[in-house]
């Protein structure tokens, strides 16, 4: 019998607030990673991002395109994490749950890692092309709250994709 | 970390059937001008859709480029619409009917110092013999003068897809250089 090529590697559903969620000891068995998040903020509207291997250097590029309450637009940024959104409307609040899907390509290859992401809630639709400018194998993925904590019931899922 | 199979349960019982299955990966170790997945008719009895994932860098001198895709070696009957962000503005394009190929999506140029473009492509009802074929792509290159985009394509042909050919739009140029990768998956429904 053939086997699935998309495997759920790990998941976390918060039962209390948390400032960071980390999936560590990621197997090198797969070719791509997919991170799916459904997030509500603990106390306010929160900015948030993803770091690989705890790298907080200025090594993350994001080119976004979005439609939000201000209209449509596009921007290119370099940041110390891969921001899951570049817009206030894309940030979760205590009442605005926001979903994110992040595709990380060739995470164990000795190249800069291409990234694609989608952000959706009642106020925005946004896609980003990203890149982690580092040739190291990704062994951990941390989702980091930058201005607040993740609220209880926030959900995080990490998938591996065979190739 | 032990993987947990992400399967679906068959409606008739507890037998687990894999939802996404790798068909073939093409790992590029030397410059190539095209990539072809062939012999796909054997998949029709098992899968409903096709899914492509890629990390590609082209031989072009520019930062980013739209790569192309055609089915069954047929050069007619394609149409596509694009929504693209370039880091400062958003544009939309209707590329019209009866194009010679549809869009694979954005890939990176060799001039960007090793940057690869990433993309995911879904080909819906790929083996239907009564439907026109719908293609959706999300792709991008994160770099100065890069792009991110959503492409919708259609192949106005009811033939089941038997082969997929990925091409560069620039004659004589390499579609993919060493380190690039394209993977094809079957999707059960």
């Amino acid at each position: 019998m053939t086997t699935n090529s998309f495997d759920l590697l790990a998941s976390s559903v918060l039962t209390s607030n948390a400032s960071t969620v980390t999936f560590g000891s990621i197997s090198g068995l797969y070719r791509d990673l997919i991170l799916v998040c459904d997030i509500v903020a603990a106390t306010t509207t929160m900015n948030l991002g993803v770091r690989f291997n705890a790298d907080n250097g200025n090594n993350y590029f994001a080119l976004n395109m979005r439609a939000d309450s201000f209209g449509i637009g596009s921007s290119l940024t370099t940041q110390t994490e891969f921001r899951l959104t570049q817009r206030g409307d894309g940030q979760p609040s205590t009442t605005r749950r926001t979903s994110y899907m992040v595709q990380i390509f060739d995470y164990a290859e000795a190249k800069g890692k291409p990234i694609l992401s989608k952000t959706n809630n009642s106020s925005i639709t946004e896609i980003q092309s990203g890149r982690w400018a580092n040739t190291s194998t990704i062994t951990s993925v941390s989702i980091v709250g930058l201005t607040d904590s993740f609220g209880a019931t926030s959900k995080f899922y990490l998938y591996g994709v065979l190739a | 970390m032990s993987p947990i199979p992400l399967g679906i349960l068959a409606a008739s019982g507890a037998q687990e059937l894999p939802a996404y299955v790798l068909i073939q990966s093409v790992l590029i170790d030397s410059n190539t001008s095209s990539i072809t997945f062939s012999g796909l008719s054997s998949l029709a009895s098992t899968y409903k859709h096709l899914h492509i994932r890629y990390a590609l860098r082209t031989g072009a001198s520019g930062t980013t480029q739209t790569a192309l895709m055609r089915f069954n070696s047929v050069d007619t009957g394609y149409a596509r619409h694009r929504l693209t962000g370039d880091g400062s503005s958003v544009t939309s394009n209707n590329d019209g009917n009866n194009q010679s190929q549809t869009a694979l999506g954005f890939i990176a140029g060799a001039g960007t110092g090793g940057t690869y473009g990433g993309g995911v492509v879904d080909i819906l009802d790929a083996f239907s013999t009564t439907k026109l074929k719908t293609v959706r792509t999300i792709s991008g290159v994160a770099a100065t003068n890069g792009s991110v985009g959503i492409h919708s394509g259609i192949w106005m042909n009811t033939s089941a897809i038997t082969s997929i050919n990925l091409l560069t739009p620039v004659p004589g140029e390499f579609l993919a250089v060493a380190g690039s990768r394209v993977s094809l998956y079957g999707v059960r429904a």
Side-chain angles (χ1 to χ4, degrees):
Chain A
M1 181 176 168
T2 54
T3 57
N4 244 315
S5 297
F6 286 53
D7 289 332
L8 178 63
L9 301 181
S11 65
S12 177
V13 179
L14 299 184
T15 56
S16 60
N17 298 344
S19 59
T20 302
V21 172
T22 296
F23 295 119
S25 302
I26 296 171
S27 164
L29 176 68
Y30 299 89
R31 188 79 186 200
D32 301 332
L33 298 172
I34 301 175
L35 175 68
V36 178
C37 309
D38 171 39
I39 297 174
V40 62
T43 59
T44 185
T45 301
M46 66 181 301
N47 207 347
L48 68 172
V50 173
R51 290 186 177 129
F52 305 122
N53 300 358
D55 176 22
N56 60 2
N58 209 36
N59 299 318
Y60 301 84
F61 296 81
L63 198 165
N64 92 335
M65 176 174 67
R66 77 276 172 175
D68 60 15
S69 61
F70 294 89
I72 61 173
S74 178
S75 62
L76 173 66
T77 56
T78 306
Q79 292 161 328
T80 56
E81 58 282 317
F82 178 72
R83 296 279 176 92
L84 292 178
T85 180
Q86 304 295 331
R87 306 290 292 177
D89 280 348
Q91 298 176 5
S93 68
T94 55
T95 57
R96 186 173 63 198
R97 299 192 75 95
T98 303
S99 65
Y100 306 93
M101 176 183 281
V102 184
Q103 314 243 10
I104 306 146
F105 298 90
D106 286 356
Y107 72 94
E109 299 298 305
K111 64 170 78 165
K113 311 301 184 290
I115 302 167
L116 284 177
S117 75
K118 296 192 293 184
T119 298
N120 296 94
N121 64 28
S122 58
S123 302
I124 196 171
T125 181
E126 177 181 21
I127 65 171
Q128 297 190 90
S129 172
R131 177 165 51 95
W132 182 43
N134 192 307
T135 58
S136 300
T137 294
I138 292 174
T139 56
S140 72
V141 175
S142 296
I143 307 96
V144 180
L146 300 172
T147 56
D148 192 10
S149 293
F150 303 114
T153 75
S154 293
K155 302 169 184 175
F156 305 84
Y157 303 91
L158 183 69
Y159 300 88
V161 183
L162 294 170
Chain B
M1 181 180 297
S2 299
I4 304 165
L6 179 66
I8 59 172
L9 296 179
S12 59
Q15 183 185 13
E16 187 178 273
L17 300 173
Y20 277 74
V21 174
L22 176 67
I23 305 300
Q24 184 183 358
S25 268
V26 177
L27 309 178
I28 305 299
D29 54 15
S30 61
N31 297 347
T32 185
S33 55
S34 68
I35 295 170
T36 298
F37 296 103
S38 59
L40 304 183
S41 57
S42 63
L43 306 176
S45 61
T46 306
Y47 303 105
K48 183 84 167 176
H49 314 297
L50 294 173
H51 178 74
I52 294 172
R53 309 177 60 82
Y54 66 79
L56 276 172
R57 187 157 65 96
T58 177
S61 57
T63 302
T64 184
Q65 182 166 286
T66 304
L68 301 172
M69 177 167 58
R70 68 180 176 185
F71 304 124
N72 300 5
S73 300
V74 175
D75 279 333
T76 58
Y78 300 88
R80 59 180 187 263
H81 286 75
R82 294 177 286 154
L83 189 62
T84 305
D86 64 2
S88 60
S89 62
V90 177
T91 57
S92 64
N93 297 86
N94 173 6
D95 292 328
N97 291 332
N98 207 25
Q99 299 286 306
S100 57
Q101 295 99 7
T102 191
L104 171 70
F106 291 113
I107 57 178
T112 54
T115 298
Y116 290 79
V120 292
V121 182
D122 291 295
I123 305 167
L124 306 179
D125 287 324
F127 306 108
S128 171
T129 56
T130 59
K131 295 179 181 177
L132 310 182
K133 306 303 180 293
T134 301
V135 181
R136 63 186 181 200
T137 299
I138 300 176
S139 62
V141 177
T144 302
N145 301 318
S147 294
V148 64
I150 303 173
H151 296 188
S152 294
I154 188 171
W155 183 38
M156 291 174 280
N157 193 311
T158 57
S159 299
I161 292 174
T162 58
S163 68
I164 301 171
N165 191 209
L166 312 180
L167 306 156
T168 172
V170 181
E173 187 175 87
F174 292 117
L175 169 72
V177 298
S180 298
R181 182 265 308 191
V182 185
S183 303
L184 176 69
Y185 301 83
V187 183
R188 205 182 294 269

